[in-house]
Amino acid sequence: MSTIETHTTRVTVTVNGREVSEEVEPRTLLVHFLREQARLTGTHVGCDTSNCGACTVLIDDEAAKSCTVLAVQANGHKVTTVEGVGNGSGGFSPVQEGFRQEHGLQCGYCTPGMIMACTALLAEDPQPDEHQIREALEGNLCRCTGYETIVRAVQWAATNGGAGEWA
Amino acid sequence: MGMIPARFDYRQAGSVAEALQLLASCDDAKLLAGGHSLVPLMKMRLVSPSTLIDISGIAELQGVTDTGSVLRVGALTRHRVVERSQVVAQHVPLLAHVAGLVGDPQVRNRGTIGGSLVHGDPAADLPSVALATGATMVVTGAAGERRIAAADFFVDFLETAVGPDEILTAIEFPKRTGAGFGYEKFVRRSMDYAIVGVAVQAGDQPGIALVNMGSVPRRADAASQALAGGAGVDAVAALAAEGTNPPEDLNANADYRRHLASVLTKRALLAAGYR
C-alpha cells in the first residue's frame, strides 16, 4: 500500500447551540467528533454499520446515523445530540419523560438514539399512530424492551408536549 | 475504537465542472454524495480511495424537474425528498413508493438516488425502479452528457457504465401518470436489504424488474415480454426467474429465491392492477 499524504481539515459544527471547531483528519466520523472533540458521550457507537441506530443524532433537525457520516459532511451544519434535548431548565423533554414513565428502556444502550429518532418523528408528525411509530423506528434496534414500551413512550410524549424544543 | 476508514484526502467540488476536473486530476478518487453506500464500504476497508471529492453541495444536481415528457431527478436528490415529492407521486408513483422503502428514515434522510444507482448493488431497491420504468441515466464527462438506458447501466457486481472520469448527474423517468404499480420486498427485518424484491410498472410499456436475483440488478425480460403480450398473472409470474442466476446465502438458496421471485411477481402484478 502506498503512503498517502493526508492533512487535517477544520470542521466547525454547531452542536446543541454551541460552536465546536477542531482540526481533524477527514476520515473522522461524526460520532467520534461528537464524543471526542465535542466531549459529548451521550451519542453511542453501537453496530458501527448504520444498522442499529444507537448513534442517531439530528443534523439540521433531521435524524441521521452519525457512525455513517463523516465529520466534514457536517461542517457548517447544526447537530443535536441527546444532551441537547430537555425542557430548557435541566429537566427532561417530553420524549425523555415518556421513556421514564413508560419504562422505555432497560439497559439503556439504544436509548440516546431512540430519543433522537422519536424526537424527529414527533417534530414531523405530532400524532403518529402505532404503525407509524413502529415504521419510524425501523432504523433503531432495541434488544431489551421488545419495543412495546418504546411505542408507549412515544405515545406518552405525543399527548404530553410532543417533540419539545432544542437549540 | 470502532471501524474507521483508511486515510484519504478530502476535496469539495462546487460545480459539476469542478468535480470533473478533480476526478481527472486525482488518481483513485471517489465521489462522495450522501455517503450511505460508500462510507460503510470504506469503514470495512473494502474500498480505500486516495481522495474523496465531496459533491454534496452542488446545487444543480438537486431536486426534481418536470420537463413535460419525463421527470428529471437530480442525482443528489435524497430519498426522503423523492419519497415526499408530490410531482413524483403523481407521475412516477412507483419511484415515490420505493424511495420510502429504502433502508430506514435515517438512511433516507442522507442517502441519494444517484449514489444508490451508481453503487450498483443488486440487492438495492432503486435500480429495480429504474429498470421497470425504463429510466435513462444522464452521465456527464469532459465531452459533455451522454444518456444510458437503465437496461445497459448495470454491467457487473457493484459496477455500472459510468466511466472513471464521469459523473451520474440525473435520472430521467418517463411519466407513468395514472398507471398501476407494485413493489414487493421480502425481508426478515423491515430495514434489511431485500432477500428478493420485485418491481412492476403497468401501462403502455410495462416492465418487471428483480432485486437480488443475480450479480446485477436486472429486468425480468421473459416475464416483461409476456406481460406486454397480454399473458395472465400466473403465466407472467411463472416466468419471473427465467434466465436468472440467483445468489445463495444464509437467508435463501437459489431455488428458494426463484420461488420467491414468482410469488412476489404475482403479488406485485396484483397490486399493479393486473388480474
Side-chain angles (χ1 to χ4, degrees):
Chain A
M1 202 170 98
S2 62
T3 307
I4 298 167
E5 185 82 9
T6 53
H7 309 278
T8 58
T9 184
R10 179 150 293 272
V11 171
T12 304
V13 182
T14 303
V15 184
N16 303 332
R18 176 173 64 98
E19 192 172 277
V20 179
S21 188
E22 297 278 348
E23 288 281 336
V24 296
E25 278 191 74
R27 63 175 173 163
T28 306
L29 297 162
L30 179 59
V31 68
H32 297 306
F33 184 86
L34 294 171
R35 291 177 60 86
E36 290 158 25
Q37 268 74 41
R39 292 293 189 186
L40 296 170
T41 54
T43 304
H44 290 170
V45 181
C47 69
D48 222 347
T49 55
S50 72
N51 272 274
C52 80
C55 65
T56 299
V57 299
L58 308 185
I59 302 177
D60 296 333
D61 301 329
E62 290 185 329
K65 292 181 170 178
S66 61
C67 79
T68 304
V69 177
L70 298 167
V72 288
Q73 292 177 283
N75 186 34
H77 293 270
K78 166 182 149 181
V79 171
T80 310
T81 70
V82 71
E83 290 93 340
V85 296
N87 68 356
S89 53
F92 285 162
S93 75
V95 174
Q96 291 171 310
E97 186 61 30
F99 272 70
R100 182 162 79 170
Q101 293 293 332
E102 298 293 341
H103 308 286
L105 66 149
Q106 287 176 31
C107 86
Y109 201 87
C110 72
T111 311
M114 283 284 180
I115 297 280
M116 300 318 289
C118 296
T119 298
L121 164 65
L122 290 179
E124 187 184 308
D125 181 357
Q127 296 294 334
D129 63 27
E130 181 182 340
H131 178 72
Q132 289 167 322
I133 294 170
R134 289 182 180 275
E135 291 268 294
L137 295 179
E138 68 182 334
N140 292 76
L141 300 182
C142 173
R143 303 287 78 155
C144 299
T145 62
Y147 305 99
E148 290 295 326
T149 55
I150 292 175
V151 171
R152 275 185 242 141
V154 179
Q155 289 167 332
W156 191 97
T159 53
N160 289 277
E165 289 173 9
W166 57 88
Chain B
M1 179 187 68
M3 303 195 300
I4 296 168
R7 289 193 173 86
F8 56 84
D9 276 333
Y10 173 81
R11 310 291 295 271
Q12 270 180 305
S15 65
V16 172
E18 195 183 344
L20 288 171
Q21 249 171 22
L22 284 167
L23 266 181
S25 66
C26 302
D27 277 343
D28 190 29
K30 281 272 184 195
L31 299 173
L32 176 68
H36 272 52
S37 300
L38 181 58
V39 172
L41 290 182
M42 290 174 64
K43 288 178 69 175
M44 289 186 278
R45 308 271 176 130
L46 294 172
V47 290
S48 301
S50 62
T51 306
L52 276 194
I53 302 167
D54 188 347
I55 58 171
S56 63
I58 302 179
E60 62 198 281
L61 300 186
Q62 318 262 1
V64 181
T65 316
D66 184 345
T67 70
S69 58
V70 302
L71 284 194
R72 185 179 165 103
V73 182
L76 289 177
T77 311
R78 293 177 192 241
H79 304 313
R80 211 72 201 269
V81 172
V82 175
E83 173 187 355
R84 293 173 178 172
S85 161
Q86 290 295 322
V87 69
V88 176
Q90 187 185 351
H91 295 301
V92 196
L94 175 65
L95 175 61
H97 177 68
V98 176
L101 298 174
V102 174
D104 55 51
Q106 290 95 317
V107 169
R108 297 197 287 277
N109 280 337
R110 303 289 304 176
T112 66
I113 186 170
S116 176
L117 291 170
V118 294
H119 187 47
D121 190 332
D125 300 290
L126 290 171
S128 71
V129 176
L131 289 163
T133 57
T136 301
M137 312 296 182
V138 182
V139 172
T140 305
E145 278 187 359
R146 64 189 181 107
R147 285 174 158 67
I148 306 169
D152 302 323
F153 188 73
F154 304 101
V155 299
D156 207 337
F157 184 64
L158 303 186
E159 191 180 335
T160 70
V162 178
D165 290 346
E166 292 181 317
I167 302 175
L168 174 67
T169 42
I171 306 95
E172 292 178 344
F173 291 90
K175 284 189 181 176
R176 297 287 187 244
T177 320
F181 67 91
Y183 187 71
E184 293 292 327
K185 180 179 183 179
F186 189 78
V187 288
R188 292 178 60 236
R189 301 175 304 179
S190 66
M191 61 182 299
D192 283 347
Y193 282 99
I195 294 171
V196 173
V198 176
V200 168
Q201 176 62 60
D204 300 340
Q205 296 165 288
I208 303 173
L210 305 171
V211 180
N212 215 1
M213 283 294 287
S215 58
V216 291
R218 55 171 296 154
R219 235 170 98 96
D221 286 323
S224 297
Q225 279 163 23
L227 185 64
V233 164
D234 287 312
V236 174
L239 293 170
E242 191 102 333
T244 62
N245 186 17
E248 307 215 347
D249 55 33
L250 278 177
N251 287 314
N253 66 17
D255 279 346
Y256 182 45
R257 278 201 161 84
R258 289 191 193 96
H259 171 74
L260 280 175
S262 282
V263 171
L264 298 175
T265 296
K266 181 170 178 179
R267 289 182 192 166
L269 287 166
L270 292 172
Y274 291 102
R275 292 295 176 262

